[in-house]
Amino acid sequence: MEILLNPGPVNLSERVRKALLKPDLCHREAEFSQLQNRIREKLLRIYDLPATGWAAVVLTGSGTSAMEAMVTSLVPQQGKLLILENGVYGERLTRIAEIYGINHVSLRHEWGEEIKIGKGWAQFKDITHLALVHHETTSGRLNDIRPIAEYCAANNISLLLDAVSSFGAEEIDFANWPIAGCAATANKCLHGVPGTSFVIVRREALLEGKVSQRSLYLDLPTYLTHQERGGTPFTQSVQTFYALDEALDEHAEAGSWQARRACFRGRMETVRNGLLNLGVKPLLEEGGSSCVLNAFHLPDGIDYQTLHDGLKARGFIIYAGQGEFAKTLFRISVMGALTDGDIERLLAAVEEILS
Ligand SMILES: *Cc1c(COP(=O)(O)O)cnc(C)c1O
């Protein structure tokens, strides 16, 4: 089987794969209701969130559906959204705002550039919501949310976080950051199957009821109303729910997000040091990247396709740079059911291809 070093979908553990084979189930039966309730509770437990203040809304769709549901359900018609971009997914947040005609301004940074708090922000008036990506998978940069969250709290601004590639493996300080919504997915750090995504919402943010419905399928209040009663407005992807339920148990038993971060950090350090020994340099400074994914400069004299195909022939799938990064970078993610041996064999394979 191929070892997936792309940022999701990830290699499944046998336990999660087997969960896909559970009995067929109607989404209007009590057993589905219990399954969905369990998942919603376990998602809150990862960051110790009380169900009185927070709710997990579970959707059938990829991570982008959760982003779109978050932005369209939480920014009121009278509100104004500031979007901080430093990569493809930040730009995607802007696309969503454009498509739905949401009043917004976007502050563009170079891809991979650090977002520095405050500079030039005085020009932004009447901002009610601020959206950004936590781990910007384009470059591997883990955006430093804390100072931005403090700015938001001081200015009465609600935070919308795309945590699709960080939820379950990086710190998200729900208690102190003014988060209204946090979008994430089953098939990245949580090690589930693609097809389920979710938004963690602050209940107050939905109950304010200031948002007129913009979307039929991606409306969080509609889902929340049904899910609180154990139902669902639309057919959910039952098998991927089974897999997520199992993946969440595996995640909790291993020690939750802190243990997963330690695991990913360990793997990434091996990859980073191993590649440095081969003369392959990371894009970002030490400490700038997430534990999940790092971007690396393609070594002189080798293009992405050659490296990709050489590694694929040896059983490893790496990931290209996006857009303008395609010619100069490659990316390695360390999520999924990998072993230390896989990482050692990867480094040996890179060495073989480069020599
Ligand atoms: C993967 C990812 C998404 C969602 O991508 P899908 O292809 O819709 O699953 C969104 N944001 C970030 C930061 C991601 O890494």
Side-chain angles (χ1 to χ4, degrees):
M1 190 163 41
E2 277 170 348
I3 301 298
L4 301 183
L5 303 170
N6 49 287
V10 302
N11 286 115
L12 303 179
S13 68
E14 274 318 295
R15 182 174 163 183
V16 171
R17 189 186 314 285
K18 282 204 184 99
L20 289 166
L21 300 177
K22 288 191 176 177
D24 301 334
L25 177 60
C26 170
H27 65 295
R28 299 286 174 218
E29 291 301 314
E31 292 81 357
F32 176 78
S33 204
Q34 288 154 11
L35 172 64
Q36 184 174 257
N37 290 344
R38 280 200 303 277
I39 289 172
R40 296 183 63 226
E41 285 162 19
K42 288 173 193 176
L43 287 172
L44 291 187
R45 227 173 284 152
I46 296 176
Y47 290 96
D48 291 322
L49 303 180
T52 45
W54 298 90
V57 178
V58 192
L59 309 168
T60 287
S62 81
T64 304
S65 69
M67 293 168 72
E68 194 161 331
M70 172 176 78
V71 173
T72 59
S73 302
L74 292 170
V75 184
Q77 273 73 10
Q78 309 88 325
K80 187 166 174 187
L81 176 65
L82 168 61
I83 300 163
L84 303 178
E85 303 173 352
N86 62 345
V88 167
Y89 296 99
E91 292 173 12
R92 186 171 295 181
L93 288 166
T94 294
R95 273 303 285 147
I96 294 169
E98 280 169 2
I99 288 167
Y100 286 89
I102 293 169
N103 188 10
H104 72 283
V105 283
S106 297
L107 186 59
R108 185 164 285 210
H109 300 70
E110 293 297 316
W111 286 8
E113 187 187 339
E114 203 176 334
I115 295 176
K116 288 258 170 57
I117 178 80
K119 190 154 176 266
W121 289 24
Q123 61 177 306
F124 303 125
K125 299 278 183 256
D126 311 320
I127 299 298
T128 58
H129 291 69
L130 185 151
L132 84 164
V133 177
H134 187 201
H135 165 213
E136 183 45 271
T137 323
T138 311
S139 61
R141 180 169 297 281
L142 186 68
N143 284 320
D144 187 7
I145 304 299
R146 190 169 298 281
I148 296 168
E150 283 167 4
Y151 174 91
C152 289
N155 291 281
N156 204 20
I157 295 170
S158 299
L159 199 56
L160 306 179
L161 207 57
D162 169 354
V164 175
S165 62
S166 56
F167 189 95
E170 294 284 2
E171 183 187 17
I172 305 173
D173 190 353
F174 285 91
N176 293 302
W177 300 350
I179 292 174
C182 174
T185 188
N187 63 296
K188 294 199 185 186
C189 305
L190 296 178
H191 294 180
V193 175
T196 304
S197 63
F198 54 92
V199 183
I200 307 291
V201 288
R202 187 186 293 271
R203 285 181 185 276
E204 281 174 358
L206 278 187
L207 295 180
E208 282 165 7
K210 280 186 288 194
V211 188
S212 314
Q213 187 168 347
R214 292 187 172 99
S215 161
L216 175 74
Y217 192 71
L218 296 173
D219 186 55
L220 292 177
T222 302
Y223 279 91
L224 187 64
T225 306
H226 281 79
Q227 292 185 358
E228 297 280 82
R229 296 194 218 114
T232 173
F234 311 106
T235 310
Q236 297 275 32
S237 175
V238 177
Q239 280 72 16
T240 66
F241 272 44
Y242 278 139
L244 177 57
D245 189 40
E246 199 66 41
L248 287 168
D249 284 345
E250 212 171 55
H251 185 267
E253 287 162 23
S256 198
W257 70 266
Q258 296 91 338
R260 192 137 295 177
R261 181 171 70 176
C263 166
F264 290 172
R265 275 184 178 167
R267 289 174 182 173
M268 196 52 96
E269 199 176 292
T270 309
V271 169
R272 222 173 143 101
N273 291 337
L275 290 179
L276 264 179
N277 283 339
L278 300 173
V280 179
K281 296 192 181 63
L283 172 70
L284 300 181
E285 75 286 357
E286 183 105 50
S289 298
S290 74
C291 63
V292 170
L293 173 143
N294 277 202
F296 298 91
H297 295 284
L298 282 164
D300 287 341
I302 187 160
D303 63 9
Y304 176 75
Q305 210 57 47
T306 308
L307 182 62
H308 169 273
D309 293 356
L311 284 172
K312 185 166 182 175
R314 291 164 178 82
F316 297 95
I317 301 297
I318 59 166
Y319 216 47
Q322 282 154 301
E324 61 197 60
F325 279 172
K327 286 202 169 61
T328 55
L329 295 182
F330 68 99
R331 293 178 290 170
I332 289 185
S333 154
V334 293
M335 294 179 287
L338 309 179
T339 65
D340 292 347
D342 293 330
I343 307 278
E344 296 303 331
R345 286 189 300 111
L346 165 76
L347 292 168
V350 175
E351 183 167 17
E352 206 176 281
I353 292 162
L354 294 187
S355 64

